[in-house]
Every structure is written in C-alpha cells, then in structure tokens.
C-alpha cells in the first residue's frame, strides 16, 4: 500500500489526535508572528580566558566536520563549520529539503497542514468572511532524529501564517511555514557527539573560539481543498 497520511494522528485527521505529542498551536486572525519560545543562547560569548583545552576541543570539532562529510551529514557539517567560523551571523536552512529528507520533520509538516486547514474553516465560518489572514498563536516545538538533521538542529520551533480565500465550500490557502532555532550547546551536558561533548562545544563559545547563531527558514505551500476534506492525497498542494 501507499503512505498512510493519517498515521501521525492516529488515523483520525478530523480530531487531530496525535500519537507523537506535537503541540500544534491554534490560529487567530492577524498577521503578527508569535513570540519566540525561551530558547535563548545559554552562555555568553568570549567571556572566559583562552585555554589549551579550548584548542583541543576546536581540533576535535574540526574532526567532527570531516566525519560529517564522510558520513553523508552535510548540513550537520556545514552548521558546525559556521559555528567555528565565529561570525555569529544568522543563516537560512533549506527547510523545503529538510521536510522532504527527515521523516520526523515531514510528519510534523503534514500534521501542521491539517491543523491549518481545520482552523481556516473554523475562522472563516466564525467571521463570515471570504478572505482572512490567520497566524499561529504560539510556536510549536519539534525534535528530529534522522542522523544529518539530528546533528544539525535536533530541536527547533515552527509557526505559520495563512492567507485564506473561500468560495462556498471551496478553499484556497497560501501558507507560509516558518522554522526557528538557535544553534547553541548545553554547557551542563556531557552528551558526546563524535569527538567532543556539548559542554566542550559551549566552552568554545565562551572562550571566543566559536560563536552560536540563529537559524531561520520558510517553506510556502499553496493548498486547494473542499470543506471537511482531510485527506492530503486528494488535495491539490503545490510546494510540498
């Protein structure tokens, strides 16, 4: 058989019962993006003295970059490279490709599409308008466990904005799905990723050998459906 598009919500797309614990946000009328979750950088950059250990950790991190390319984890390697380049400038993630390659990200995306469709119908009915703009009230938290994306981001948040048009029971929505993350390291964690631990990576940031940064991204979808429809395979969706 084909892909079961309702496996991620217990085969009950209408009620959105979610076996994976996704915390999808309700939508409200408006355009203002929701406030950021409290995922602030955990340590202050360049506040500690240089040490021999920092040089050793930096060499270990370079070893992780080489291993990432060898093991076909390009995004994990590229994000770590940006960290070691020490600029701290924000970068854009290829969110479209991530949502195709990561089974966890793909599952979350499909769950969020159905959630958006549900609220588009609900808000359209409540205000009796043919055209509405809606936005998620808060961010949703996501984790990915596929190797490349796990080591690139692991935890991130999403939010969305939709421009909805209604003609009777037919709907069209231009839906922007946003990615947010801080590339940072837990200074209290001894979890090891390759040659260095999270704590050692955070030490590089505090010593000024590397710098944490923001990651942002967006995927835009164009969705046509009929009221009450919840089977994604029967809808016209561009950009998925």
């Amino acid at each position: 058989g084909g892909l079961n598009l309702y496996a991620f919500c217990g085969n009950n797309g209408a009620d959105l019962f979610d076996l994976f614990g996704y915390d999808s946000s309700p939508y409200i009328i408006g355009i203002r993006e929701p406030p950021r979750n409290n995922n602030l950088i955990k340590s202050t950059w360049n506040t500690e003295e240089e040490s021999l250990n920092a040089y050793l950790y930096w060499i270990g991190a370079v070893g992780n970059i080489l291993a990432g390319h060898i093991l076909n984890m390009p995004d994990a390697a590229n994000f770590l490279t940006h960290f070691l380049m020490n600029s701290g400038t924000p970068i854009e993630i290829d969110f479209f490709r991530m949502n195709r390659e990561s089974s966890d990200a793909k599952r979350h995306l499909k769950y969020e599409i159905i959630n958006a469709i549900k609220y588009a119908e609900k808000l359209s009915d409540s205000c009796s308008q043919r055209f509405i703009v809606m936005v998620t009230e808060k961010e949703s938290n996501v984790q990915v466990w596929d190797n490349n994306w796990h080591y690139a981001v692991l935890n991130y948040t999403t939010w969305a904005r939709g421009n909805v048009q209604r003609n009777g029971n037919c709907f069209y929505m231009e839906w922007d799905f946003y990615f947010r993350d801080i590339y940072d390291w837990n200074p209290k964690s001894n979890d090891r990723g390759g040659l260095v631990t999270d704590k050692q990576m955070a030490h590089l940031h505090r010593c000024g050998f590397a710098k944490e940064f923001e990651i942002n991204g967006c995927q835009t979808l164009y969705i046509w459906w009929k009221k009450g429809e919840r089977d994604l395979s029967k809808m016209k969706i561009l950009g998925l």
Side-chain angles (χ1 to χ4, degrees), residues 8-217:
F8 55 90
C9 56
N11 290 312
N12 188 349
D15 294 333
L16 294 175
F17 173 72
D18 177 28
L19 298 176
F20 289 85
Y22 294 136
D23 60 337
S24 284
S25 169
Y27 281 78
I28 57 175
I29 299 292
I31 61 173
R32 181 177 296 179
E33 65 183 68
R36 287 183 177 270
N37 284 346
N38 188 25
N39 59 347
L40 301 177
I41 293 174
K42 301 179 179 67
S43 56
T44 306
W45 180 73
N46 200 21
T47 55
E48 295 183 5
E49 294 293 327
E50 293 182 5
S51 66
L52 175 60
N53 283 340
Y55 285 96
L56 296 176
Y57 301 157
W58 193 91
I59 293 171
V62 171
N64 278 0
I65 292 173
L66 296 175
H69 287 296
I70 293 171
L71 297 174
N72 195 28
M73 294 191 288
D75 297 278
N78 291 338
F79 287 3
L80 182 51
T81 299
H82 191 71
F83 175 66
L84 295 184
M85 287 177 65
N86 207 19
S87 69
T89 55
I91 63 173
E92 287 287 319
I93 193 171
D94 189 341
F95 199 28
F96 173 80
R97 182 167 57 83
M98 178 183 173
N99 284 326
R100 284 204 160 188
E101 294 179 354
S102 167
S103 58
D104 297 309
K106 183 186 299 183
R107 192 179 295 118
H108 176 70
L109 169 63
K110 290 178 178 179
Y111 182 79
E112 289 293 344
I113 292 172
I114 293 179
N115 187 51
I117 287 171
K118 173 186 173 183
Y119 274 97
E121 294 178 4
K122 180 179 179 180
L123 293 173
S124 178
D125 284 341
S126 66
C127 64
S128 301
Q129 297 290 326
R130 289 187 60 196
F131 304 96
I132 62 170
V133 181
M134 63 180 195
V135 64
T136 48
E137 199 169 19
K138 64 182 182 70
E139 294 180 329
S140 298
N141 297 298
V142 193
Q143 284 190 336
V144 289
W145 296 98
D146 314 82
N147 274 349
N148 175 47
W149 296 108
H150 173 77
Y151 288 107
V153 295
L154 177 56
N155 302 292
Y156 63 97
T157 62
T158 63
W159 66 281
R161 182 187 291 126
N163 294 287
V164 182
Q165 299 180 28
R166 178 177 184 174
N167 184 9
N169 287 327
C170 296
F171 288 81
Y172 163 74
M173 177 167 58
E174 180 179 330
W175 188 65
D176 295 320
F177 189 47
Y178 293 92
F179 172 106
R180 285 176 176 168
D181 189 29
I182 300 290
Y183 189 88
D184 59 356
W185 303 87
N186 186 347
K188 298 181 180 179
S189 172
N190 288 312
D191 289 346
R192 180 174 293 276
L195 301 175
V196 286
T197 66
D198 287 4
K199 186 176 182 179
Q200 291 166 349
M201 294 294 245
H203 183 69
L204 289 177
H205 174 79
R206 294 196 305 271
C207 288
F209 277 57
K211 197 168 187 179
E212 297 166 352
F213 56 92
E214 292 185 17
I215 308 172
N216 298 291

